Amino acid sequence: MAAYIFRRLLLMIPTILGIMLVSFAIVQFAPGGPIERVIAQLQGTEVSATARISGGTGGETGGAGAGATSSAEPIQSKYRGAQGLDPEFIKELEKQYGFDKPAHERFLTMIWNYARFDFGESYFRDISVIDLIVEKMPVSISLGLWMMLISYLISIPLGIAKAVRDGTRFDTWTSAIVIIGYAIPGFLFAVLLIVMFAGGSFLDWFPLRGLVSDNWDSLPWYQKITDYFWHLTLPIISMALGAFATTTLLTKNSFLDEIRKQYVQTARMKGLNERQVLYGHVFRNAMLIIIAGFPGAFISAFFAGSLLIETIFSLDGLGLLSFESIVNRDYPVVFATLYIFSLMGLIVNLLSDLTYTWVDPRIDFETREV
């Protein structure tokens, strides 16, 4: 197992490099960029999403070559809206944002810094990228972890109960609830909850914004806990709706497949009761597929899946930060969050494989090729 873990850790290096290289290359052809954003602010205009930069590469990605030119016209024509600005000022902007260097040099410098977890400074916020991510982390941790915990604690027992009672009234009406929950978009359900319970047209039981109240620091510890969950109730319910339905049906179908296999009939013929058969033989085999889907569900809920919920409930987390950074062309934040999310995804996948061996010791990754 140690050799397998070592090989997987080594495999993470080219995987991360590939992800970052492809993303970096795509950005080179994306229209607009931080320099154009500064120019637009100075000119009092907005840069169109379809703006095209002459020179073929788009954005500031061709800045390395132009930074060495001395004539005013190439520099001014390179950026949309730059006509009339001092060419030396444009050069200073390129140097400030690092676009006075070739693309390959910028990429290698970025990878070397990221390997040391040095993510630099945000272009448009007076704060380091790592401090900015840490500042937004509590919201995403709260939403992601509690949503996953509640979803799994409800979905797995419910899925097992549905599999054992397959075809009964219990299975029918719970399936109807699960399907309805799956069909309702999380953001639409969030709006409904706000209207119903957060000071909309009916009740005013829950707060509408923030992770905690303004006076949270002055509250005693037990009231801090209550206030924290009071703010989280509606967002977590909104996020868990779709995951709850998916995991429940996945658990049911997985257990049904195992229950119908021959080894279950053999166990029953040996005199084992249904509980012993279910939790002694079926459980660990049926749970493998649930464990396999955990990393993707975790990463989705922890980072990307909370964007709309964060916006609706005015929660300033990583999902909203990533979206705003892409829109504002804040590349240090964009690439840093991508790097961290990808790295965590690879680590969670490795932990998932290790969990396989804990659930079913018969699985041996040591004998498999990576």
Side-chain angles (χ1 to χ4, degrees):
M1 181 58 68
Y4 172 77
I5 296 175
F6 181 71
R7 291 197 301 269
R8 285 291 297 270
L9 291 175
L10 288 180
L11 187 61
M12 290 181 185
I13 297 176
T15 304
I16 285 288
L17 287 176
I19 293 173
M20 299 304 296
L21 178 60
V22 171
S23 302
F24 187 85
I26 292 174
V27 166
Q28 307 312 297
F29 297 95
I35 294 180
E36 278 207 335
R37 186 170 184 267
V38 172
I39 293 174
Q41 291 175 341
L42 293 174
Q43 300 286 5
T45 61
E46 293 183 0
V47 179
S48 172
T50 58
R52 296 183 178 273
I53 311 303
S54 61
T57 56
E60 288 70 43
T61 58
T69 62
S70 58
S71 61
E73 182 59 28
I75 297 175
Q76 288 184 326
S77 63
K78 182 182 172 190
Y79 301 104
R80 184 185 179 103
Q83 286 76 8
L85 294 179
D86 185 359
E88 293 301 322
F89 173 72
I90 301 297
K91 284 185 179 182
E92 287 297 322
L93 283 180
E94 289 180 339
K95 184 177 181 180
Q96 177 182 347
Y97 293 121
F99 293 111
D100 59 330
K101 300 176 182 178
H104 70 277
E105 184 177 338
R106 287 186 279 120
F107 176 75
L108 293 176
T109 301
M110 180 184 71
I111 292 299
W112 171 246
N113 291 334
Y114 283 12
R116 297 176 291 131
F117 291 94
D118 178 9
F119 301 111
E121 300 283 331
S122 169
Y123 283 164
F124 306 110
R125 303 171 190 248
D126 189 21
I127 185 175
S128 68
V129 174
I130 191 64
D131 289 340
L132 184 60
I133 292 175
V134 170
E135 178 185 319
K136 311 298 182 183
M137 190 73 76
V139 171
S140 295
I141 290 178
S142 298
L143 293 176
L145 291 184
W146 285 114
M147 189 278 289
M148 290 298 299
L149 179 62
I150 293 174
S151 173
Y152 272 70
L153 287 178
I154 295 176
S155 300
I156 292 177
L158 180 58
I160 295 174
K162 287 175 63 61
V164 173
R165 298 171 177 83
D166 183 42
T168 64
R169 288 186 176 181
F170 172 82
D171 181 43
T172 301
W173 66 261
T174 52
S175 293
I177 295 176
V178 166
I179 292 173
I180 293 174
Y182 182 78
I184 299 176
F187 70 91
L188 184 61
F189 191 65
V191 174
L192 175 63
L193 291 178
I194 290 176
V195 172
M196 295 292 295
F197 303 109
S201 302
F202 297 93
L203 304 174
D204 189 11
W205 290 353
F206 296 95
L208 184 57
R209 58 187 300 118
L211 188 62
V212 293
S213 299
D214 294 335
N215 64 336
W216 190 80
D217 291 332
S218 62
L219 297 176
W221 66 269
Y222 57 90
Q223 289 187 8
K224 287 183 177 180
I225 296 176
T226 303
D227 182 78
Y228 171 74
F229 285 107
W230 182 46
H231 283 76
L232 278 179
T233 300
L234 297 187
I236 289 178
I237 292 175
S238 304
M239 292 181 63
L241 190 64
F244 163 79
T246 303
T247 309
T248 299
L249 294 179
L250 183 62
T251 303
K252 176 193 173 182
N253 293 332
S254 178
F255 271 80
L256 279 178
D257 289 341
E258 294 296 325
I259 288 173
R260 294 166 180 167
K261 291 184 177 179
Q262 184 62 42
Y263 75 89
V264 175
Q265 301 299 327
T266 303
R268 288 170 176 165
M269 292 174 62
K270 289 181 179 180
L272 299 179
N273 59 44
E274 288 299 315
R275 185 176 184 84
Q276 291 174 321
V277 171
L278 186 63
Y279 293 102
H281 294 75
V282 174
F283 183 81
R284 66 180 183 181
N285 294 326
M287 284 300 296
L288 290 177
I289 191 173
I290 309 300
I291 296 173
F294 175 77
F298 177 82
I299 295 300
S300 176
F302 189 49
F303 298 117
S306 60
L307 171 59
L308 291 176
I309 301 301
E310 289 178 13
T311 303
I312 292 173
F313 289 98
S314 300
L315 298 171
D316 194 6
L318 290 176
L320 188 59
L321 172 65
S322 300
F323 175 76
E324 291 179 344
S325 300
I326 293 173
V327 172
N328 295 329
R329 302 297 195 268
D330 197 348
Y331 292 150
V333 179
V334 172
F335 286 121
T337 53
L338 175 65
Y339 179 83
I340 294 174
F341 296 173
S342 300
L343 183 61
M344 289 192 65
L346 293 172
I347 293 174
V348 170
N349 271 290
L350 175 59
L351 294 178
S352 175
D353 285 349
L354 299 180
T355 308
Y356 273 131
T357 62
W358 175 70
V359 175
D360 190 349
R362 296 172 299 174
I363 297 178
D364 184 13
F365 288 106
E366 194 73 30
T367 60
R368 296 176 53 195
E369 294 291 335
V370 178

